[in-house]
PDB file of all heavy atoms in Angstrom:
ATOM      1  N   THR A 396      -5.762  44.259  -8.540  1.00  0.00           N
ATOM      2  CA  THR A 396      -6.650  44.136  -7.390  1.00  0.00           C
ATOM      3  C   THR A 396      -5.937  43.339  -6.319  1.00  0.00           C
ATOM      4  O   THR A 396      -5.098  42.494  -6.608  1.00  0.00           O
ATOM      5  CB  THR A 396      -7.953  43.407  -7.767  1.00  0.00           C
ATOM      6  OG1 THR A 396      -7.618  42.151  -8.354  1.00  0.00           O
ATOM      7  CG2 THR A 396      -8.759  44.221  -8.750  1.00  0.00           C
ATOM      8  N   VAL A 397      -6.268  43.598  -5.089  1.00  0.00           N
ATOM      9  CA  VAL A 397      -5.554  42.983  -3.979  1.00  0.00           C
ATOM     10  C   VAL A 397      -6.162  41.631  -3.636  1.00  0.00           C
ATOM     11  O   VAL A 397      -7.367  41.461  -3.630  1.00  0.00           O
ATOM     12  CB  VAL A 397      -5.591  43.907  -2.745  1.00  0.00           C
ATOM     13  CG1 VAL A 397      -4.910  43.245  -1.553  1.00  0.00           C
ATOM     14  CG2 VAL A 397      -4.917  45.232  -3.068  1.00  0.00           C
ATOM     15  N   VAL A 398      -5.307  40.661  -3.374  1.00  0.00           N
ATOM     16  CA  VAL A 398      -5.759  39.337  -2.954  1.00  0.00           C
ATOM     17  C   VAL A 398      -5.229  39.081  -1.557  1.00  0.00           C
ATOM     18  O   VAL A 398      -4.024  38.969  -1.361  1.00  0.00           O
ATOM     19  CB  VAL A 398      -5.231  38.249  -3.910  1.00  0.00           C
ATOM     20  CG1 VAL A 398      -5.672  36.873  -3.426  1.00  0.00           C
ATOM     21  CG2 VAL A 398      -5.721  38.497  -5.320  1.00  0.00           C
ATOM     22  N   GLY A 399      -6.105  39.003  -0.569  1.00  0.00           N
ATOM     23  CA  GLY A 399      -5.692  38.665   0.789  1.00  0.00           C
ATOM     24  C   GLY A 399      -4.972  39.803   1.486  1.00  0.00           C
ATOM     25  O   GLY A 399      -5.428  40.320   2.483  1.00  0.00           O
ATOM     26  N   THR A 400      -3.831  40.191   0.985  1.00  0.00           N
ATOM     27  CA  THR A 400      -3.072  41.299   1.538  1.00  0.00           C
ATOM     28  C   THR A 400      -2.577  42.149   0.383  1.00  0.00           C
ATOM     29  O   THR A 400      -2.709  41.792  -0.779  1.00  0.00           O
ATOM     30  CB  THR A 400      -1.852  40.806   2.350  1.00  0.00           C
ATOM     31  OG1 THR A 400      -0.834  40.386   1.439  1.00  0.00           O
ATOM     32  CG2 THR A 400      -2.210  39.659   3.262  1.00  0.00           C
ATOM     33  N   THR A 401      -1.977  43.282   0.720  1.00  0.00           N
ATOM     34  CA  THR A 401      -1.453  44.162  -0.327  1.00  0.00           C
ATOM     35  C   THR A 401      -0.204  43.581  -0.967  1.00  0.00           C
ATOM     36  O   THR A 401       0.349  44.175  -1.893  1.00  0.00           O
ATOM     37  CB  THR A 401      -1.117  45.541   0.268  1.00  0.00           C
ATOM     38  OG1 THR A 401      -0.198  45.355   1.354  1.00  0.00           O
ATOM     39  CG2 THR A 401      -2.368  46.231   0.765  1.00  0.00           C
ATOM     40  N   GLU A 402       0.248  42.434  -0.488  1.00  0.00           N
ATOM     41  CA  GLU A 402       1.480  41.845  -1.002  1.00  0.00           C
ATOM     42  C   GLU A 402       1.259  40.904  -2.180  1.00  0.00           C
ATOM     43  O   GLU A 402       2.200  40.540  -2.850  1.00  0.00           O
ATOM     44  CB  GLU A 402       2.202  41.089   0.121  1.00  0.00           C
ATOM     45  CG  GLU A 402       2.643  41.961   1.279  1.00  0.00           C
ATOM     46  CD  GLU A 402       3.691  42.979   0.882  1.00  0.00           C
ATOM     47  OE1 GLU A 402       4.361  42.775  -0.143  1.00  0.00           O
ATOM     48  OE2 GLU A 402       3.833  43.979   1.591  1.00  0.00           O
ATOM     49  N   ALA A 403       0.029  40.465  -2.399  1.00  0.00           N
ATOM     50  CA  ALA A 403      -0.255  39.581  -3.535  1.00  0.00           C
ATOM     51  C   ALA A 403      -1.259  40.275  -4.439  1.00  0.00           C
ATOM     52  O   ALA A 403      -2.294  40.744  -3.974  1.00  0.00           O
ATOM     53  CB  ALA A 403      -0.805  38.244  -3.055  1.00  0.00           C
ATOM     54  N   GLN A 404      -0.960  40.357  -5.728  1.00  0.00           N
ATOM     55  CA  GLN A 404      -1.803  41.121  -6.638  1.00  0.00           C
ATOM     56  C   GLN A 404      -2.188  40.294  -7.857  1.00  0.00           C
ATOM     57  O   GLN A 404      -1.369  39.564  -8.404  1.00  0.00           O
ATOM     58  CB  GLN A 404      -1.067  42.386  -7.100  1.00  0.00           C
ATOM     59  CG  GLN A 404      -0.688  43.316  -5.959  1.00  0.00           C
ATOM     60  CD  GLN A 404       0.168  44.467  -6.423  1.00  0.00           C
ATOM     61  OE1 GLN A 404       0.723  44.440  -7.523  1.00  0.00           O
ATOM     62  NE2 GLN A 404       0.289  45.486  -5.593  1.00  0.00           N
ATOM     63  N   VAL A 405      -3.451  40.433  -8.253  1.00  0.00           N
ATOM     64  CA  VAL A 405      -3.919  39.818  -9.492  1.00  0.00           C
ATOM     65  C   VAL A 405      -3.872  40.869 -10.590  1.00  0.00           C
ATOM     66  O   VAL A 405      -4.389  41.971 -10.418  1.00  0.00           O
ATOM     67  CB  VAL A 405      -5.360  39.288  -9.347  1.00  0.00           C
ATOM     68  CG1 VAL A 405      -5.873  38.788 -10.699  1.00  0.00           C
ATOM     69  CG2 VAL A 405      -5.414  38.168  -8.336  1.00  0.00           C
ATOM     70  N   LYS A 406      -3.247  40.522 -11.699  1.00  0.00           N
ATOM     71  CA  LYS A 406      -3.173  41.435 -12.832  1.00  0.00           C
ATOM     72  C   LYS A 406      -3.746  40.734 -14.056  1.00  0.00           C
ATOM     73  O   LYS A 406      -3.348  39.616 -14.378  1.00  0.00           O
ATOM     74  CB  LYS A 406      -1.719  41.846 -13.091  1.00  0.00           C
ATOM     75  CG  LYS A 406      -1.068  42.548 -11.903  1.00  0.00           C
ATOM     76  CD  LYS A 406       0.391  42.865 -12.168  1.00  0.00           C
ATOM     77  CE  LYS A 406       1.030  43.526 -10.949  1.00  0.00           C
ATOM     78  NZ  LYS A 406       2.464  43.819 -11.176  1.00  0.00           N
ATOM     79  N   ASN A 407      -4.698  41.375 -14.702  1.00  0.00           N
ATOM     80  CA  ASN A 407      -5.304  40.815 -15.905  1.00  0.00           C
ATOM     81  C   ASN A 407      -4.647  41.426 -17.130  1.00  0.00           C
ATOM     82  O   ASN A 407      -4.602  42.647 -17.278  1.00  0.00           O
ATOM     83  CB  ASN A 407      -6.808  41.090 -15.923  1.00  0.00           C
ATOM     84  CG  ASN A 407      -7.522  40.364 -14.802  1.00  0.00           C
ATOM     85  OD1 ASN A 407      -7.244  39.196 -14.547  1.00  0.00           O
ATOM     86  ND2 ASN A 407      -8.421  41.042 -14.117  1.00  0.00           N
ATOM     87  N   PHE A 408      -4.140  40.566 -18.000  1.00  0.00           N
ATOM     88  CA  PHE A 408      -3.426  41.019 -19.181  1.00  0.00           C
ATOM     89  C   PHE A 408      -4.201  40.676 -20.443  1.00  0.00           C
ATOM     90  O   PHE A 408      -4.797  39.601 -20.547  1.00  0.00           O
ATOM     91  CB  PHE A 408      -2.040  40.370 -19.261  1.00  0.00           C
ATOM     92  CG  PHE A 408      -1.076  40.863 -18.219  1.00  0.00           C
ATOM     93  CD1 PHE A 408      -1.018  40.264 -16.973  1.00  0.00           C
ATOM     94  CD2 PHE A 408      -0.230  41.925 -18.477  1.00  0.00           C
ATOM     95  CE1 PHE A 408      -0.130  40.706 -16.007  1.00  0.00           C
ATOM     96  CE2 PHE A 408       0.660  42.378 -17.519  1.00  0.00           C
ATOM     97  CZ  PHE A 408       0.712  41.769 -16.286  1.00  0.00           C
ATOM     98  N   GLU A 409      -4.177  41.597 -21.388  1.00  0.00           N
ATOM     99  CA  GLU A 409      -4.732  41.351 -22.713  1.00  0.00           C
ATOM    100  C   GLU A 409      -3.624  40.744 -23.563  1.00  0.00           C
ATOM    101  O   GLU A 409      -2.576  41.357 -23.765  1.00  0.00           O
ATOM    102  CB  GLU A 409      -5.212  42.659 -23.341  1.00  0.00           C
ATOM    103  CG  GLU A 409      -6.011  42.479 -24.612  1.00  0.00           C
ATOM    104  CD  GLU A 409      -7.411  41.970 -24.330  1.00  0.00           C
ATOM    105  OE1 GLU A 409      -8.052  42.462 -23.390  1.00  0.00           O
ATOM    106  OE2 GLU A 409      -7.842  41.062 -25.063  1.00  0.00           O
ATOM    107  N   LEU A 410      -3.843  39.520 -24.050  1.00  0.00           N
ATOM    108  CA  LEU A 410      -2.826  38.847 -24.846  1.00  0.00           C
ATOM    109  C   LEU A 410      -2.831  39.372 -26.273  1.00  0.00           C
ATOM    110  O   LEU A 410      -3.880  39.724 -26.817  1.00  0.00           O
ATOM    111  CB  LEU A 410      -3.064  37.336 -24.846  1.00  0.00           C
ATOM    112  CG  LEU A 410      -2.985  36.658 -23.471  1.00  0.00           C
ATOM    113  CD1 LEU A 410      -3.367  35.193 -23.586  1.00  0.00           C
ATOM    114  CD2 LEU A 410      -1.596  36.801 -22.880  1.00  0.00           C
ATOM    115  N   SER A 411      -1.666  39.404 -26.890  1.00  0.00           N
ATOM    116  CA  SER A 411      -1.552  39.920 -28.254  1.00  0.00           C
ATOM    117  C   SER A 411      -2.330  39.067 -29.240  1.00  0.00           C
ATOM    118  O   SER A 411      -2.744  39.537 -30.300  1.00  0.00           O
ATOM    119  CB  SER A 411      -0.077  39.969 -28.674  1.00  0.00           C
ATOM    120  OG  SER A 411       0.484  38.666 -28.671  1.00  0.00           O
ATOM    121  N   THR A 412      -2.545  37.793 -28.891  1.00  0.00           N
ATOM    122  CA  THR A 412      -3.262  36.880 -29.774  1.00  0.00           C
ATOM    123  C   THR A 412      -4.739  36.773 -29.412  1.00  0.00           C
ATOM    124  O   THR A 412      -5.462  35.949 -29.958  1.00  0.00           O
ATOM    125  CB  THR A 412      -2.626  35.479 -29.695  1.00  0.00           C
ATOM    126  OG1 THR A 412      -2.500  35.111 -28.317  1.00  0.00           O
ATOM    127  CG2 THR A 412      -1.262  35.468 -30.339  1.00  0.00           C
TER     128      THR A 412
END
Side-chain angles (χ1 to χ4, degrees):
T396 55
V397 177
V398 178
T400 76
T401 56
E402 297 295 339
Q404 300 173 344
V405 174
K406 300 177 182 179
N407 294 316
F408 290 88
E409 190 75 43
L410 298 175
S411 62
T412 50

